[in-house]
């Protein structure tokens, strides 16, 4: 049975040699809203995940659907991304 928090939960950031990552766990209500938008079959655009009240700095992309638990959103952005502009360093 999936774990749905009372409020949206944000992981600490973690990274590899190319990207910075984090995951976000939606509440049951927000997960239902997301499913209505996507049927669990596509990634969310920035305006969509922000519309679900996910709050994070600029530059993050929803990059993968975690099939066993689609209410956990997986995000990444290139290392060196400026969080105020969303632009990656060259």
């Amino acid at each position: 049975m999936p774990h749905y928090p009372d409020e949206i939960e944000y992981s600490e950031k973690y990274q590899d040699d190319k990207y910075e990552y984090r995951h976000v766990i939606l509440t049951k209500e927000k997960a239902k809203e997301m499913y209505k938008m996507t049927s669990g079959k596509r990634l969310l655009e920035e305006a969509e995940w922000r519309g679900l009240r996910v709050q994070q700095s600029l530059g993050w992309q929803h990059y993968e659907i975690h099939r066993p638990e689609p209410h956990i959103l997986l995000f990444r952005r290139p290392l060196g991304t400026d969080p105020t502009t969303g632009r990656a360093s060259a």
Side-chain angles (χ1 to χ4, degrees):
M1 184 149 187
H3 160 71
Y4 293 101
D6 293 332
E7 295 182 10
I8 294 173
E9 291 182 0
Y10 301 85
S11 74
E12 294 296 320
K13 297 172 198 164
Y14 46 100
Q15 67 184 46
D16 60 18
D17 60 342
K18 191 171 181 179
Y19 292 101
E20 179 176 34
Y21 301 91
R22 79 171 342 161
H23 57 272
V24 175
I25 305 174
L26 298 177
T27 63
K28 192 170 193 173
E29 175 187 318
K30 295 297 180 186
K32 285 180 183 181
E33 285 181 45
M34 180 202 59
Y35 196 77
K36 284 180 188 176
M37 285 190 278
T38 68
S39 299
K41 296 179 182 177
R42 66 172 178 82
L43 300 174
L44 296 171
E45 298 292 329
E46 182 173 358
E48 292 174 320
W49 56 259
R50 288 196 187 278
L52 293 171
R53 303 292 181 242
V54 172
Q55 298 177 358
Q56 49 190 358
S57 56
L58 298 176
W60 292 101
Q61 290 187 314
H62 182 213
Y63 76 98
E64 188 174 330
I65 297 171
H66 183 56
R67 295 279 179 219
E69 298 176 297
H71 66 289
I72 299 176
L73 306 181
L74 304 174
F75 291 93
R76 73 179 180 191
R77 66 180 174 188
L79 287 176
T81 298
D82 183 326
T84 59
T85 65
R87 293 193 179 115
S89 58

